[in-house]
Structure formats: C-alpha cells, structure tokens
Amino acid sequence: MTVATPRPYGATAPTDVTMGPVIRGIGVYVDGAPHVRMDGHLTPGGSFMEGDVTVLERMWAEAQDAGPDSFVWLGLRNPTQEETERAARVFGIDDLQIEDAMSIGQRPRFEIAGDRVLAVLKVLDYVEPTSDVETGQIAVFVGPSYVLSVRIGEPGDLTGLRADLEADSEMLALGPLAVLHGILDIVVDGYQEVVDELARDIEQVEERVFSPARTDDAAIIYKLKRENLEVRRAVDPLRMTAIRLLSRELVEVPDALRPYFHDLGDHILRVSETSAQHDTLLGTVLEAARSRQAVQQNDDMRKISAYVAMAAVPTMIAGIYGMNFDFMPELHERWGYPAVLLLMVVSCGLLFRAFKRSGWL
C-alpha cells in the first residue's frame, strides 16, 4: 500500500465498486475521534501487501500509546489467506482463528479469551426478486487497542457503520468493544429484516394454499423452509451467547456498553424464536397443502367415476340392442328408436341429479 499525505484515518473505500478493494476501511481512533498522523498511513483501496505490515504496526503502536480506549480498526473484504495472515500477524492472532475466519462453512461462534474476542457471524441478505436468502460471513477480532474485521461475500457492508461511529464520539470513545457491538447490531438487524421478509412470503403462501383456486404450492413451501433454515443456521448457534448477554455473564463488557449488549441478546433470541415459529408454521402449511391436494385428487376421482357411470348406461343400452337377436319386437316399432333415446337421456339425467346431490359433481 502506498503512503499518502496526512489525512484522518477514518476514511472508507468507495461503495460503488463491484469487486471492491480488499481494504474497505482503516483508522486509528483516539478519544472517540479519528486520529491524524503526520507521517504515512494506510488508505482504503487495493490489497494488503507485505509492505503495509510495518505501517499497520506503527498505527497500532500509536493507538496503544494513546490509551486503553484508543484503537486501530482495519476492515478487510474478501481478502486472500495471505493477506489475512499478514494483518493477523501484526496483532498476534492465532492461526487457527484465521482459518475459521476464512472458512465460509464455519459455524457461527463467539469466543472470549482474556482480553481478546473472536466473533464469527453469518450475514444474511434477502433478495427480493427471487425470495432467496444470500449468506456471507464476517469475522471480528477484538483485542488490546485493535479491531480486525474480515468480510467474505457480498452481504454485510460496514462502511456505513464506520461513518456512524465516527459521528458518535461518545460511543466510539468506549473502545474496540463499541465497534464489536456495532457490527453485531448490523448483523442482527439483518437477521430481523430477513425474518420479516420471510414472514410476508409465508403469509402469501398461506393465502394461496387456502384460496378457492387450485394451486400446487409444495415447491414454494419447501423453498421457504430451505431459506428459513439458512436463518436458523446463522442464528441458533448464537443463542448461548445471547443468554450470556442477557444474564450479564460477560464481565469483560464495560458498564456503559452493557445495556447495548443486553438489548442485542434480546434481539438474537427474538429472531431465533421467530425463525423456529416460521419453521413450525411452514411444516403445518406444507401438510395442509398436501392434504388439500389429496382432497382435490379425490374430488377429481369422484367426478371421473360419476361421468363414467353416466356414460355406462347408454353404452349398456346400445350394447343390448346391438346383439342382433332375431326376435326383438321393439326394433320394428315406429316408437322404438325415440323410446330408447328417451330412456338413455332420462337415465343419464337421473344419475346426474343423484351425483349432484351427493356432491360428486
């Protein structure tokens, strides 16, 4: 990364880039405000190169010298394994935790070891045109005077969060855990938005299933169950963390941040319970759709059987008079033909009336 002229570290990379730079944001924060260095510093954009390690070390040292609530925050998006390891090496982060951060299949987790915190979170985004739930991942490393966030996938842009925190000096002055709370809050709010969108989809499916029109909704319901499963995979592993937040067992959280984390735990549990209710409701709707389909098939079979029975009467009469016996007196009567036709019509009419009364037609 090149060395630029003095400017606040709190800058972020442009948001209108399709692939985007690896370094999405970089800043040193002292007393709740971006701190300006008079020598070189990293800027958003591009990759995190080997030559940037020294600059990041210098920025971290400055944050440590400024006090316990001062910190450096580096945000990476879709970095390579080597880029993540370079940044982690500066802060002394364990290699196994880096592997977890770079594995998109990693189970969500929240770990606290002394003065260091690791949060691996699934980020969800609802795609309106297709009703799909897109999944990404954010790993947040918090330690003495540093925050390292690693985002994999499209969902979970944090540029807005950085700008909001820079505008809220009181929150930013609470230190690295304020950034952790901000990231968790954005992720959990994303869960809530996805759950709300799925709730609207489920209501629409319910209306279709119980509408008078004939519909086959099994495929749609199954797809919604799969999308809801994505939510549960993201949220359910965080239930124990939410319970600890609500019970105030995380003694490492500063008193000023405890109400915020308590509220966060409540939101996580609420989303988890809602997604579980959605799963149960979708199962019930699926059974109702199958039952309704079975009833529709039974109605079809009744109608088919009724029409077959009605068609059997004239077929039987025509068959009798088609046997070509020598002695069939009515065949030689002038009224024979119209009488047989009348018999067929009356018989079919009586059968139609009977089936109509019984609900078969």
Side-chain angles (χ1 to χ4, degrees):
M1 185 62 59
T2 57
V3 176
T5 54
R7 57 173 289 190
Y9 280 168
T12 55
T15 58
D16 58 348
V17 181
T18 303
M19 294 303 295
V22 171
I23 301 179
R24 294 292 289 172
I26 177 69
V28 172
Y29 300 93
V30 177
D31 296 329
H35 186 59
V36 180
R37 288 178 57 93
M38 298 311 296
D39 52 358
H41 67 277
L42 294 178
T43 56
S47 303
F48 187 75
M49 308 300 292
E50 187 66 39
D52 300 325
V53 172
T54 303
V55 182
L56 182 59
E57 289 174 343
R58 189 166 59 245
M59 295 170 68
W60 186 33
E62 181 179 348
Q64 291 175 306
D65 294 339
D69 292 330
S70 301
F71 60 95
V72 58
W73 177 12
L74 172 62
L76 304 178
R77 175 197 177 195
N78 295 330
T80 63
Q81 183 80 21
E82 292 76 12
E83 288 172 322
T84 307
E85 289 175 351
R86 290 189 195 113
R89 189 168 67 244
V90 173
F91 304 121
I93 299 173
D94 187 81
D95 291 341
L96 292 178
Q97 292 184 337
I98 295 302
E99 291 183 9
D100 292 341
M102 296 301 294
S103 173
I104 192 63
Q106 177 63 38
R107 179 182 173 89
R109 51 193 284 207
F110 193 92
E111 295 182 356
I112 298 178
D115 56 356
R116 294 175 180 259
V117 179
L118 166 62
V120 179
L121 310 167
K122 296 300 179 184
V123 189
L124 303 180
D125 185 33
Y126 183 83
V127 183
E128 182 68 36
T130 60
S131 297
D132 291 333
V133 176
E134 187 177 4
T135 304
Q137 180 171 295
I138 291 181
V140 187
F141 302 89
V142 178
S145 300
Y146 75 83
V147 178
L148 172 62
S149 57
V150 180
R151 176 162 66 102
I152 300 177
E154 292 302 316
D157 190 9
L158 302 179
T159 53
L161 170 64
R162 189 182 291 267
D164 291 342
L165 285 176
E166 290 175 0
D168 188 353
S169 59
E170 292 184 4
M171 177 64 76
L172 199 59
L174 297 177
L177 287 179
V179 177
L180 175 61
H181 169 267
I183 295 175
L184 289 171
D185 191 49
I186 285 181
V187 171
V188 175
D189 285 347
Y191 295 162
Q192 186 65 59
E193 292 176 3
V194 171
V195 166
D196 291 342
E197 292 290 346
L198 288 176
R200 282 187 279 271
D201 289 343
I202 293 172
E203 289 178 2
Q204 294 175 1
V205 169
E206 283 183 297
E207 293 176 358
R208 284 170 54 88
V209 168
F210 296 105
S211 67
R214 294 181 62 120
T215 58
D216 184 5
D217 303 303
I220 299 176
I221 297 171
Y222 181 74
K223 180 181 179 181
L224 286 176
K225 284 183 69 69
R226 291 289 303 174
E227 302 305 331
N228 190 66
L229 180 61
E230 290 294 325
V231 179
R232 300 199 68 178
R233 286 174 176 171
V235 178
D236 286 355
L238 299 177
R239 284 185 59 88
M240 289 306 300
T241 299
I243 293 173
R244 294 179 65 191
L245 291 173
L246 289 174
S247 61
R248 302 180 184 273
E249 293 181 13
L250 299 180
V251 296
E252 298 83 357
V253 177
D255 292 339
L257 282 174
R258 284 188 179 277
Y260 297 99
F261 278 96
H262 184 276
D263 184 63
L264 195 62
D266 180 64
H267 287 176
I268 293 173
L269 288 181
R270 186 161 63 241
V271 171
S272 178
E273 291 169 359
T274 303
S275 63
Q277 293 170 359
H278 285 174
D279 190 63
T280 302
L281 180 58
L282 284 169
T284 303
V285 173
L286 181 60
E287 289 300 320
R290 289 173 174 171
S291 299
R292 188 183 180 201
Q293 189 175 31
V295 171
Q296 290 173 346
Q297 292 175 347
N298 187 45
D299 289 341
D300 292 340
M301 289 302 300
R302 285 183 174 186
K303 290 179 180 179
I304 293 172
S305 300
Y307 284 117
V308 168
M310 291 165 55
V313 172
T315 302
M316 179 189 68
I317 296 174
I320 291 174
Y321 286 100
M323 290 188 291
N324 296 321
F325 287 109
D326 291 334
F327 187 72
M328 297 184 74
E330 59 271 26
L331 293 179
H332 303 288
E333 300 292 339
R334 297 176 64 87
W335 50 263
Y337 177 68
V340 171
L341 290 181
L342 179 62
L343 177 62
M344 291 182 182
V345 172
V346 171
S347 300
C348 291
L350 292 174
L351 286 174
F352 180 82
R353 182 182 179 187
F355 286 131
K356 196 71 173 177
R357 284 184 173 182
S358 64
W360 281 44
L361 291 176

